[in-house]
Structure formats: structure tokens, C-alpha cells
Amino acid sequence: MKKPLLFLLFAFSTGVLSSQNLVDFTVDAGEDVQLDCLSGPCVEIDADFTQTYNPLPTHAYNVVSLPFDPVPTSNPTGLSNDDTYSAAIALPFGFTFYGETYNQVIIGGNGDIVFNTAYANAYNSWPIDGDQLVPDPTLGGNANGPTAAIFGAFHDLNINDMNNSLVGTIEYEVTGEAPFRAFVVNYTDVAQFGSSCDAFNTTQQIVLHETSNYIDVYITEKPLCTGWNDGYAVIGIQNPGGTLGVSPPGRNTGLWEADMEAWRFKPVPDPDAANFVYNLLDADGNVVSLDNPSDVCLVNGETQTFTAQVIYTDGDGETFPVEDEVTVSYGSEDLSGNLADVQLCEGEPDVELNATPNNNSLDQNELSYSWTDEAGNVVGTAATYTATSGGIYTVDITYGNCTETFQSEVVIGETPIIDLGADFNSCFDEPVVLDATPSNFTAAESTFVWYMNNNVLPGEDEATLNITEVGTYSVSVTVNGCEGQDQIEVSQGNGIIVDLGGNISLCESENQVISINSSISVEDTGNVTYSWTLDGVQVGSEATLTGVNQSGIYTLSVSNGACTGTGTVEVIDFCIPEGISPGNSDGINDCMDLEYLSDRTGIKSIEIFNRYGTSVFTQNNYVKQWCGQTQDGEDLPTGTYYYVIKFNGQDEVYGAVKTGWVYLVREVN
């Protein structure tokens, strides 16, 4: 008999899976597909994914060899149980084995795992006969035979040596992330039983995979020692009744040794037992096919993304999807040409946009065009389009099933509006400035080139131009590549018009002093000069000539820059007449002419008396209405008459009233 057994159970720990033999639950829908532009729109999608099945009670397993790559563990739970089963260990996931789903396992001290929890902490029988081949209900483990057993490898092991000291370790660990976890049992450097065999150590691993229900057995080292139980060992699995089972080639009950080998037990595929569903989805999540592989077709040549989805169901009935996308599109041909943005200016001719590709290898019969404006309206279907207004024009070039889009922005720039004004004359007596600032742009936005008589004026590049001579001036103003022009003719100023009014009466005998006023056609801004002359002799230099006390012809010459003008006025010696001679034929002194007084002060009234003091004539607002007649219009005889003149105001010579004698001479018939 073996020594008493000590069973130790520690807490779970989780590690990180890293083995090429872990079940790959990824879906690979394949590389994105680019169809030839001139090919059909359909393509086959063949997704690569792991197809897993729930093992049925009556179905066998397949066993296949694996590359040797055990699952590493990082913090496993240790056991110490020689020839006994562990307590029931809860699985964090349901594991289906021969049609039954288990949530607990029991680890045997002799390299086996069973699912019947009635054997927890019970004796793990070790004898094996050479004729007990998998499947066999009496094979190993328990006096009544193990139920639902995994042998990997099952043979008599002794974790406690002959001195009851631990030799090697039996450990387990759950590692990975749901729903792809693995329950890993490690037997590491565990001695084979017997005094002649305890120097032979076994290292092996059993792995239960979540969802796929795969079982892996890794044999790092299992030497052969025939000194105990004849050295029999077995690798395999069998159903609860021991009626179905499978063993790797050469690893059923017998005498063998192994190292660095691995085996996988997989349920035989059965469509009725599949624990996955395959869907091919479109971009909106609609199922387009349940088959793999399956054909998909592009609609209107538009790129589409499809999702290969596999929904797995784990042992606990939970479902989870695994997906991969594949994009199907038409490949591209170089459909680019020389289409570019265009800058035009107002008034320029319409522009032709040309979208013809530069790729000469294209079949021109397969090319089509669709031009749209900014509003999305189709405006043309040829390779060229004539744009009559500004905006962004889009052209879709289609070659077979491939379409590329290009754009051209047509910008019609605003022409600068310049107004130099109307042609004008100038005496250049003061600064003359031309201003070409556009009414629709600022000067800072503009560039200027000035011309005089069609010749560029060097250095004149501002908005304004100071001119000092006559000529034809023009300017070119450019903003954003658009040019505006204007021209103006500046001529010599006209002669100055000098108006001195009508002749002026002056009574020299009265010692009268008068002023002569002028009216000229230019504004005196300080640059105007004046020169008064009397009979050729200068007598003044102001606009108004003062101190005039003698008759004669007065001339005023006015200069304003390059412009001049003259005016004349005659000052006539004219006093209150001392006699009149109406009715004669000479036409002189027919009336008493007091116009100069009327102009100077204004005559309120005049009254004429004969020598007897009798009033013979009166007149208000008098100028020269008395020509020797009575108030009734009768001719007065020759004689001396007395007058009284009343002024509208205070006359500068006579005051308010002037009286005197006048002699009337009447021609005798």
C-alpha cells in the first residue's frame, strides 16, 4: 500500500494565455477586395474561422497531433494528492463532454481528470492491465472504473516520495479571457511510483478549452519504468460508460515513453451539434447570406463593407459574436487630367473646363462624364463644359464601374471701378490731385500704374497723382488679377472773365472820390494777382480800386496761375446839369439827367419851380424824367427854374437835400 495522502487546495489564479495551440476564435473575412473597373460587380467572400461542435453522447472524437507548445501558467493552485482524487473543483465555464455539460472536475493524482463528483477525495486506483484499452469501463482510476475520464497520461504517480516528501507538483489554473478561457492542469516533475521507478519523473499538461470543448494533452517527459505495474500507461478519453473513447496512435494502454509531444481531442463535426452560427452582414447589419463562402455584388459600383460574423454559444448557453470586416470596391484607374481652378474677371469670355483624363491607355468608349454645379444640378455630360458663371463645378468621371470625382472652382473676380471724373481745365494755380481709389475696393487691396499721354509715369504707384501740367492722364488699377482703367483729359484753364460793370459817372467838380468793384470768374484763394491802370498807368493792385477821383478808362488785369483776364470801365465826369435844351435837333441835354445820383444815393423826389416860385413839376424816384415840361406835359418856356432834390438817404456830397437853378433853353420856331 502507498502512504497516506495529503490533499491541498488553494485559491484560483488567472494567467495570460500564450500558446500557438490555443483555439483561435477570430474570424478572417479575407483581404479587402478591389475589383477591376471593367469587371463584373460580384465577388466571393470566404471567411476563415474555427468551426466548433458540441460533442454528442453517441459521437466520437477525432484526435490530432499538435505542435508542442504547452499553455503557460503564472500562479497556479497546487494539489498534493497521491492515489486520490481532489475535492470537486468548480469550472468557471460549462464544459461539454460526450453530450453532458459539466461545471466541476476532479483531478486525480495519477494523471487523470474525471467529471463524476462522487469520486471527490476518493481513492484514485492505479492498476492497469495490458488488455485494458480505451474504451474500457474498468480502466484505472476507481474500483468501479472511471466515468467520463481524460487520461493524460494515466499511470501510477507518486507526488510523495518514499520518505513522504513532496516530489514535483500537481497544479491547476484558469487562464485567458471569457469566452475563450482554458482550464489547465500541470503535473510537473512528479515521480513515478515504486522504489525502482521514483527516479523517473513525469511532466505533462491537460487543457480543457472553453466554448470549443477541445481537450489537449501535452507530454513534456514520460519515461518508461517497468519496475512498477509493468510500466503501463495510457493517453485517451472515454465516455461515462466507458463504451466510447479514443486514444492517440501508439498511446493506448501499453509500454511506451514520450517527450515533447501534444495531442488534441476534437468532437467530430456534426451540423446538428454546431455551437456556432455564421452570418454575412451588410453595412447596415442586415444578413445577406448564411452561407460561407457566398457571393456578394456591389450596387451601382458603390464601395460596400461586409461583416463576416460568427456567433458562438459556450457551454453555459451564453452567445458571443466574433466579427471581421471586408471592404469590396472597384479598384482605381488614373482618371486625372488637367482640370484646375480658373480665375476670370468680369467681362472676360466664358471658360471651357476640360476633364479628359491624361491616361492614354483607357478605352475612351468606357468613359462617361457628369458635370454638376454647386446646387447639384447636372449641367453637362461631355468631357468639356463651358462655365458661364462663377462657382464650384464637380465632374464625376466613370470608367466602367469605377468613378472618380474632380472639381474646378471658377472665380470671376470683380473689376475695380475707377472714376477720375470729367475732363476739366486748370490754371494749376493750386495743387491738382487725381484719385483712382476704386469705389468697390480699398486702396490697400489695389495696385496702381499711372500714365501721361500713354507713357508710364515712373514711381507713380499710389492711388492719387499730383499733376502740374496739361495732358491725357490714365490709370490701370488691378485687384486680384482683375484690371480696371479710366482716363481724363486735363486742359489749360480758360481766360479769366473780369466784369467791372457799366460806365461810372463821377462829378469831378464835386471833388468826389469813388471805388471801382470787380467781378472775376475765379475764386481768389490767395494766388490771384490784380493790376489796375488808368490810361496805361498802374493805379492799383487789389481787387477793388479805391480813391478814384478822376474820369478816364480804367483797366483791371487779373492773373491766376497760367490763366489771365482783363476788364475795362469808363469813369465819366457827370454833374448836376446847369441847363437843358429840349426840342433841338442835337439830342444832347434834352433832359435833366441825375442817373449818377440815383445810382449813388437814390433820389426820393424832385420838385421844379418857375421864377415866381410856382411848382411846375414833381417826380418821385427820379432819374431823368424832367425834360422841360409841366406836370401836365406842357412845354415850359425858356427861363430859369429852381429845383429841390430830396435823397433816399444821406448823400456823401449833398446830404439829404440839394437845391439849385437850372436854365431851360427852348428853341424858337
Side-chain angles (χ1 to χ4, degrees), residues 207-229:
V207 182
L208 308 184
H209 293 276
E210 183 180 13
T211 300
S212 67
N213 299 307
Y214 290 171
I215 302 166
D216 292 344
V217 173
Y218 294 90
I219 304 297
T220 302
E221 180 183 21
K222 203 292 290 181
L224 174 63
C225 178
T226 60
W228 182 257
N229 197 31

Side-chain angles (χ1 to χ4, degrees), residues 61 115 128 135 263 266 313 367 495 502 545 571 580 608 628 657:
Y61 282 75
F115 294 96
I128 307 175
W263 304 97
K266 300 170 59 176
T313 302
L367 285 168
L545 180 63
V571 177
I580 62 174
I608 307 296
V657 178

Side-chain angles (χ1 to χ4, degrees), residues 71 104 166 268 282 298 305 388 462 490 561 653:
V71 177
Q104 291 179 312
L166 290 175
V268 173
D282 63 16
L298 299 183
T305 297
T388 59
E462 301 294 331
V490 180
V653 176

Side-chain angles (χ1 to χ4, degrees), residues 615-618 626 628-636:
S615 175
V616 295
F617 180 84
T618 61
W626 187 63
Q629 76 275 18
T630 67
Q631 192 71 36
D632 296 329
E634 299 292 336
D635 290 339
L636 291 171

Side-chain angles (χ1 to χ4, degrees), residues 466-635:
N466 295 321
I467 63 173
T468 58
E469 56 183 314
V470 298
T472 300
Y473 292 88
S474 58
V475 64
S476 171
V477 181
T478 303
V479 179
N480 297 327
C482 294
E483 181 185 29
Q485 297 179 339
D486 196 20
Q487 179 176 296
I488 191 170
E489 185 77 26
V490 180
S491 303
Q492 180 65 49
N494 297 325
I496 300 173
I497 299 174
V498 181
D499 183 8
L500 299 182
N503 293 337
I504 302 173
S505 296
L506 171 68
C507 184
E508 293 182 358
S509 63
E510 296 175 350
N511 295 319
Q512 184 182 5
V513 178
I514 64 173
S515 297
I516 304 176
N517 296 317
S518 63
S519 174
I520 63 176
S521 60
V522 295
E523 180 182 359
D524 187 353
T525 58
N527 298 317
V528 179
T529 61
Y530 306 88
S531 178
W532 287 92
T533 59
L534 172 61
D535 298 329
V537 178
Q538 184 171 356
V539 294
S541 60
E542 300 294 333
T544 300
L545 180 63
T546 61
V548 176
N549 58 6
Q550 66 183 89
S551 61
I553 296 176
Y554 289 82
T555 301
L556 173 61
S557 298
V558 180
S559 297
N560 183 28
C563 299
T564 62
T566 60
T568 61
V569 64
E570 183 178 3
V571 177
I572 302 171
D573 185 13
F574 198 96
C575 300
I576 298 175
E578 294 180 352
I580 62 174
S581 56
N584 60 13
S585 60
D586 62 4
I588 299 174
N589 291 331
D590 289 337
C591 301
M592 187 174 178
D593 188 351
L594 300 181
E595 183 177 1
Y596 84 100
L597 288 178
S598 176
D599 292 339
R600 187 170 74 193
T601 306
I603 300 174
K604 183 178 181 181
S605 66
I606 187 172
E607 190 170 7
I608 307 296
F609 299 88
N610 62 19
R611 62 182 179 173
Y612 303 110
T614 301
S615 175
V616 295
F617 180 84
T618 61
Q619 177 70 46
N620 293 331
N621 298 318
Y622 186 83
V623 180
K624 58 176 182 179
Q625 290 91 335
W626 187 63
C627 300
Q629 76 275 18
T630 67
Q631 192 71 36
D632 296 329
E634 299 292 336
D635 290 339

Side-chain angles (χ1 to χ4, degrees), residues 118-399:
Y119 298 151
N121 300 312
Y123 178 59
N124 185 198
S125 178
W126 52 267
I128 307 175
D129 292 334
D131 59 354
Q132 290 180 298
L133 300 175
V134 172
D136 187 332
T138 67
L139 180 61
N142 187 277
N144 296 321
T147 97
I150 299 171
F151 306 124
F154 177 69
H155 57 308
D156 193 7
L157 297 175
N158 185 19
I159 195 171
N160 300 303
D161 64 10
M162 303 309 293
N163 297 316
N164 203 30
S165 299
L166 290 175
V167 179
T169 59
I170 302 175
E171 301 169 318
Y172 69 91
E173 178 174 307
V174 177
T175 186
E177 300 291 335
F180 310 121
R181 291 167 291 186
F183 182 80
V184 182
V185 180
N186 292 324
Y187 296 81
T188 306
D189 290 328
V190 180
Q192 298 184 20
F193 186 79
S195 59
S196 61
C197 294
D198 61 1
F200 294 85
N201 295 342
T202 293
T203 297
Q204 60 188 31
Q205 183 182 83
I206 302 174
V207 182
L208 308 184
H209 293 276
E210 183 180 13
T211 300
S212 67
N213 299 307
Y214 290 171
I215 302 166
D216 292 344
V217 173
Y218 294 90
I219 304 297
T220 302
E221 180 183 21
K222 203 292 290 181
L224 174 63
C225 178
T226 60
W228 182 257
N229 197 31
D230 294 328
Y232 288 119
V234 60
I235 297 175
I237 63 173
Q238 62 183 29
N239 68 349
T243 58
L244 293 174
V246 63
S247 178
R251 295 296 178 259
N252 213 328
T253 302
L255 303 178
W256 51 267
E257 61 182 357
D259 62 78
M260 307 294 283
E261 72 177 29
W263 304 97
R264 171 164 290 172
F265 299 87
K266 300 170 59 176
V268 173
D270 186 326
D272 295 330
N275 64 351
F276 69 91
V277 175
Y278 175 79
N279 298 314
L280 184 62
L281 310 177
D282 63 16
D284 296 324
N286 301 311
V287 176
V288 297
S289 178
L290 299 176
D291 299 325
N292 184 56
S294 57
D295 290 338
V296 295
C297 300
L298 299 183
V299 179
N300 297 326
E302 295 181 357
T303 297
Q304 295 186 57
T305 297
F306 298 91
T307 300
Q309 179 190 70
V310 180
I311 301 175
Y312 290 97
T313 302
D314 65 16
D316 296 318
E318 298 293 330
T319 60
F320 56 92
V322 182
E323 299 176 344
D324 188 34
E325 291 183 347
V326 59
T327 298
V328 180
S329 63
Y330 276 102
S332 61
E333 289 282 358
D334 183 7
L335 303 181
S336 62
N338 299 320
L339 189 64
D341 294 340
V342 179
Q343 173 78 46
L344 297 176
C345 298
E346 293 174 332
E348 291 186 354
D350 297 334
V351 61
E352 182 182 77
L353 306 178
N354 192 333
T356 302
N358 291 330
N359 188 349
N360 294 326
S361 65
L362 301 177
D363 182 351
Q364 298 298 312
N365 294 323
E366 296 291 338
L367 285 168
S368 63
Y369 305 85
S370 178
W371 293 87
T372 55
D373 58 18
E374 286 184 325
N377 301 312
V378 176
V379 295
T381 57
T384 60
Y385 172 70
T386 300
T388 59
S389 61
I392 297 176
Y393 294 89
T394 302
V395 58
D396 292 329
I397 305 177
T398 300
Y399 183 68

